[in-house]
Amino acid sequence: MSVHHMEITGPGDSLITARQAGLLACDRCGRVHDAAALACARCGARLERRDGRSLQQVWAWLLAGIVVYIPANIYPMLRTSTLLDQSESTIVGGAIDLFHHGAYGVALIVFVASIVIPIGKFIAIGYLALSLRRAGFLSAHSRHRLYEVVEFIGRWSMIDVFVVAILSALVQLGSVATINPGIAAVSFALSVAFTMLAAQSFDPKLIWDAGREPS
Amino acid sequence: MENTEHMAEGPDGAPMLACPVCDTLHAEPEVPIDHVALCRRCGHTLAAPRENAMIRILALAVTSSILMIAAVLFPFIDLSAGGLENHTSVLDAVLAFSTGLMIPLSVAVALLIVLIPLARLLAIIYTLWPLARGDRPYPMARDAFRLAERLRPWSMAEIFVVGVAVALVKVAGLASLSLGPAFWAFVALVLVTVLQDNTMCRYTIWKSLDRATA
Ligand SMILES: [Zn+2]
Ligand SMILES: [Zn+2]
């Protein structure tokens, strides 16, 4: 299969946005409407007016995500009981255990998915939202790339919740060994969902709008 | 949905397309098969039609649905240690959180790994079935496809499979394991889903829906 890149030309020679032309475009399918339209005529999606309400939603979801991430790290994620002892492990504790058992690859996956990605995401979304006000040191292109990475990678944090679910289902061997989920699993799952909603509420067009305002 | 009075057109009456990422206006492109149309400003892929895309996506979506049903019904993983055995199905993994406070999480896991992926597949099949045959779309096909698009980030079957791999490493020292057919069905499902998402050009599907209802 050969793929050819093809640049398409817009009306006239200069690049103008739908907003600058006084029009309103659909986020989902790209159809352009006049400014009075409420819903997309092609796909039926609600048309977003970039009036700052979306940014308030981003901050609200982001804050909620950070708040529930704290108990997710304090309380136990897993409760293991074997013939010999009972133990509880937190997110970080679980990764450290894996590391001590020599499972470096898996320890790294768990550490990246449950610590590096969530915290990186909080910072990235916060930075993207703040950079709309002041000119940041990253260009619109780089910030757009950052947004795409956040959107793509954020959902993978949910892996830790699935690991807990599978372990708790698998390891039910009576008195020999049982694993049960801890309360941290709930707050961690909520944190991932809230940050996904924060990223989805962020309208990437705002990045490009800001770059265009005459200063 | 025949609300066309609000649609805006270019100076020559040609339909226009705005980049969903940066809002830059373009004349709606006629993109040949196996060509990619990129936004002139931000480089976002606006359209990437593929040969026989409708039939291929449809075939992949049907395959995925069958694999998903197999993954739920067949035995997933068997575990044994110290003379005790435990047979786990995907359903058990879902029900792992089904005590007290954990019930909402149980529901969420069921949604993320089985129900949402399945709903998304069914919506895609519903949209594309008549299009692939050259018929008029079914009623509410646009709503169905919009739903499929919205559910995309929440469809986490592939993340679940990697989660299973991590969990297996964790218990490997503790007990002996055997993988059932449902595990392999899930792995196949992930591969088919990746293939399907790479073949699917949503712009082409919207245009086909436009043409088929015109
Ligand atoms: Zn639309
Ligand atoms: Zn663009």
Side-chain angles (χ1 to χ4, degrees):
Chain A
M1 182 188 66
S2 69
V3 175
H4 307 279
H5 288 259
M6 175 181 121
E7 299 228 316
I8 56 181
T9 47
D13 278 314
S14 60
L15 296 172
I16 60 162
T17 65
R19 185 190 218 188
Q20 287 166 330
L23 302 169
L24 202 53
C26 174
D27 291 341
R28 304 256 161 208
C29 73
R31 193 73 180 85
V32 183
H33 305 74
D34 68 44
L38 295 172
C40 176
R42 178 190 277 153
C43 73
R46 201 163 54 84
L47 293 172
E48 295 289 341
R49 290 174 167 70
R50 302 197 287 287
D51 51 9
R53 229 187 44 219
S54 89
L55 212 53
Q56 277 175 28
Q57 277 178 26
V58 174
W59 283 117
W61 287 124
L62 181 63
L63 215 64
I66 295 172
V67 167
V68 291
Y69 186 68
I70 297 166
N73 277 282
I74 295 173
Y75 291 105
M77 192 84 167
L78 280 178
R79 281 178 292 138
T80 313
S81 44
T82 62
L83 283 174
L84 304 169
D85 68 335
Q86 275 201 325
S87 64
E88 296 188 328
S89 62
T90 55
I91 292 175
V92 181
I96 293 172
D97 275 355
L98 278 167
F99 190 80
H100 283 313
H101 287 116
Y104 303 118
V106 179
L108 196 70
I109 292 180
V110 171
F111 184 74
V112 168
S114 41
I115 307 280
V116 178
I117 294 180
I119 293 178
K121 240 184 110 165
F122 298 146
I123 296 171
I125 296 173
Y127 167 74
L128 286 173
L130 283 177
S131 74
L132 299 174
R133 289 281 172 83
R134 299 164 207 112
F137 54 92
L138 288 179
S139 68
H141 271 286
S142 331
R143 281 183 287 147
H144 171 214
R145 184 67 41 79
L146 181 65
Y147 172 75
E148 281 187 329
V149 170
V150 165
E151 266 242 292
F152 176 80
I153 233 168
R155 30 202 300 282
W156 281 91
S157 293
M158 206 59 103
I159 200 169
D160 226 25
V161 176
F162 295 146
V163 171
V164 173
I166 301 153
L167 284 177
S168 312
L170 269 181
V171 187
Q172 292 295 337
L173 298 166
S175 57
V176 178
T178 50
I179 292 182
N180 288 304
I183 193 76
V186 178
S187 51
F188 187 78
L190 282 176
S191 178
V192 177
F194 290 163
T195 18
M196 279 177 70
L197 288 166
Q200 285 172 23
S201 322
F202 187 86
D203 187 344
K205 290 174 185 175
L206 290 168
I207 296 175
W208 297 92
D209 280 350
R212 289 235 132 194
E213 289 330 326
S215 50
Chain B
M1 185 104 44
E2 297 309 307
N3 165 32
T4 50
E5 76 238 52
H6 284 305
M7 295 225 261
E9 272 154 10
D12 47 356
M16 281 191 299
L17 168 75
C19 172
V21 172
C22 73
D23 208 28
T24 301
L25 286 172
H26 300 82
E28 247 180 29
E30 282 304 324
V31 189
I33 295 291
D34 282 345
H35 282 56
V36 180
L38 303 174
C39 171
R40 288 206 295 163
R41 186 173 179 206
C42 74
H44 178 77
T45 303
L46 296 172
R50 295 269 189 278
E51 188 79 54
N52 295 325
M54 298 291 166
I55 290 163
R56 276 165 63 185
I57 299 165
L58 198 58
L60 292 170
V62 171
T63 313
S64 303
S65 317
I66 294 168
L67 286 171
M68 179 59 89
I69 292 163
V72 175
L73 295 181
F74 289 123
F76 190 54
I77 295 166
D78 289 347
L79 181 91
S80 56
L84 289 165
E85 268 189 59
N86 185 28
H87 308 278
T88 306
S89 67
V90 171
L91 204 64
D92 294 323
V94 167
L95 295 176
F97 295 123
S98 61
T99 49
L101 263 178
M102 301 289 188
I103 291 173
L105 198 56
S106 220
V107 174
V109 171
L111 282 170
L112 296 174
I113 67 177
V114 178
L115 299 176
I116 289 178
L118 205 55
R120 183 168 173 252
L121 288 169
L122 294 178
I124 289 172
I125 294 171
Y126 183 83
T127 311
L128 295 188
W129 185 267
L131 291 183
R133 294 161 42 108
D135 292 345
R136 284 182 71 81
Y138 292 138
M140 320 244 306
R142 287 157 190 270
D143 300 86
F145 188 60
R146 195 173 81 239
L147 180 74
E149 285 291 284
R150 285 200 75 122
L151 292 180
R152 210 161 121 94
W154 302 98
S155 169
M156 299 192 178
E158 76 274 27
I159 300 173
F160 178 68
V161 169
V162 181
V164 172
V166 172
L168 292 183
V169 172
K170 280 198 170 189
V171 292
L174 194 70
S176 60
L177 296 159
S178 62
L179 301 172
F183 175 79
W184 300 111
F186 244 114
V187 173
L189 178 72
V190 170
L191 299 177
V192 173
T193 309
V194 170
L195 211 62
Q196 180 191 317
D197 284 342
N198 286 340
T199 320
M200 198 156 95
C201 164
R202 45 200 64 82
Y203 177 76
T204 315
I205 294 174
W206 285 122
K207 287 305 283 181
S208 308
L209 282 168
D210 279 356
R211 257 193 302 267
T213 37

